[in-house]
Amino acid sequence: MCARRGRPTVCERQEQPGFTMMGSFAEFLALPRADRNLSAIPPKVSFVEAAALGCRFTTAYRAVVQQGGLGIKSEEEARGTTVAVFGCGGLRLSCVMIAKAFGAGRIVAVDVSDDALAKAREVGATDVVNAKRANVRQQVMDLTDGAGSDVTVDAAGFKATCEDAVHCARRGGRMVQVGLPVGGPDPIVPMAAVAGKELEIVGSHGCAAEDIPAILSLVEDGRLDPKKLIGREVTLEEGARALMDMDRGSPIGMVMVTKFTEMPASRY
């Protein structure tokens, strides 16, 4: 069904290494339909840069460029476009970087962490809003001269981020839901405002394999630098510990496994 409609990101028979099948940390992987799902890494793109793209940058690309509509705008239109990104973590920072790569004139990052907001400024945000200390909706409206943002992206999936993203969209604007809710209260979406302001609420899920070459080209051309989100490089054993540590919090930067040893440190 999804193949006939050209919508692989919503395929009812998706297979993803590390999600629906074994993989991700294996040395070798047998990939179904490799003719469709594999992309060659350009000579100017390193293994580390390519690895850093998934899944945060690939997911951000679909959310901002395709579902958010930034990819169909001319350079002049993009310069006049405001993109507001709500939420915390690597996906939000990737959305900021993708928006910058496609020439968005104003990029507003909203978060509750000063460290995350500082990183957002470093990688391309023109404005930041700390949701703990400011009225988010009023602040975004003030930054956009009362109009609201052309594109808003909920990159976290929380009740507050979803609601703020809808309320901060301009008349005729588009809200993209890419953050996946993981529990908690459901958001209250003001459908009267959606109708009255003719808002578009669009879902975004993953990224199609056929779009990977375009994202690799952004890296090759220097428009996108995924290395900016690499926090540290570790061994495979240290990487396993880093995964366990995520129960206590998520680092701002990626932890990249780049160092391997022939013999494990453990006798097991």
Side-chain angles (χ1 to χ4, degrees):
M1 184 69 73
C2 62
R4 293 198 299 271
R5 293 178 177 176
R7 299 289 296 274
T9 55
V10 292
C11 181
E12 63 272 22
R13 296 175 59 191
Q14 286 187 28
E15 293 184 83
Q16 299 175 337
F19 288 88
T20 63
M21 56 184 286
M22 299 296 288
S24 295
F25 288 112
E27 279 190 89
F28 300 99
L29 175 66
L31 193 68
R33 296 178 291 282
D35 56 332
R36 176 188 178 92
N37 292 319
L38 282 183
S39 298
I41 300 175
K44 293 182 180 179
V45 178
S46 70
F47 277 20
V48 170
E49 289 171 320
L53 293 177
C55 68
R56 62 178 69 194
F57 281 103
T58 53
T59 301
Y61 177 87
R62 177 152 181 80
V64 175
V65 176
Q66 296 177 331
Q67 299 300 80
L70 199 57
I72 62 174
K73 295 182 182 293
S74 66
E75 288 187 21
E76 183 178 354
E77 289 173 329
R79 284 195 297 271
T81 298
T82 296
V83 177
V85 185
F86 300 78
C88 55
L91 176 57
R92 177 184 61 78
L93 293 171
S94 300
C95 286
V96 168
M97 294 178 68
I98 291 289
K100 181 183 179 183
F102 278 81
R106 167 159 265 159
I107 304 169
V108 183
V110 182
D111 207 294
V112 296
S113 165
D114 285 330
D115 290 340
L117 292 173
K119 188 67 176 179
R121 273 200 184 277
E122 180 185 322
V123 299
T126 57
D127 305 274
V128 298
V129 178
N130 189 310
K132 279 187 175 180
R133 296 196 294 268
N135 182 319
V136 172
R137 300 173 194 179
Q138 186 60 53
Q139 191 77 19
V140 173
M141 288 298 171
D142 290 344
L143 289 169
T144 56
D145 297 323
S149 183
D150 301 287
V151 181
T152 64
V153 181
D154 175 12
F158 299 127
K159 180 180 186 294
T161 52
C162 175
E163 292 174 356
D164 284 342
V166 175
H167 282 281
C168 289
R170 68 161 174 80
R171 292 180 179 273
R174 181 175 296 189
M175 180 272 192
V176 181
Q177 183 66 50
V178 63
L180 296 176
V182 292
D186 291 329
I188 300 173
V189 179
M191 296 309 293
V194 171
K197 295 166 67 175
E198 292 193 350
L199 301 179
E200 296 180 35
I201 299 179
V202 182
S204 186
H205 179 248
C207 181
E210 62 197 29
D211 294 318
I212 301 301
I215 304 173
L216 287 167
S217 293
L218 293 175
V219 180
E220 187 176 31
D221 296 342
R223 294 170 61 189
L224 182 68
D225 184 4
K227 298 192 302 297
K228 289 183 177 180
L229 294 191
I230 297 177
R232 59 192 177 105
E233 298 182 23
V234 299
T235 66
L236 185 58
E237 186 173 2
E238 290 170 334
R241 289 198 294 269
L243 283 174
M244 299 302 103
D245 289 342
M246 291 186 73
D247 284 340
R248 297 187 292 274
S250 177
I252 294 175
M254 283 180 274
V255 177
M256 185 71 65
V257 177
T258 59
K259 304 169 187 176
F260 301 86
T261 57
E262 292 183 5
M263 296 296 293
S266 169
R267 61 189 178 89
Y268 297 104

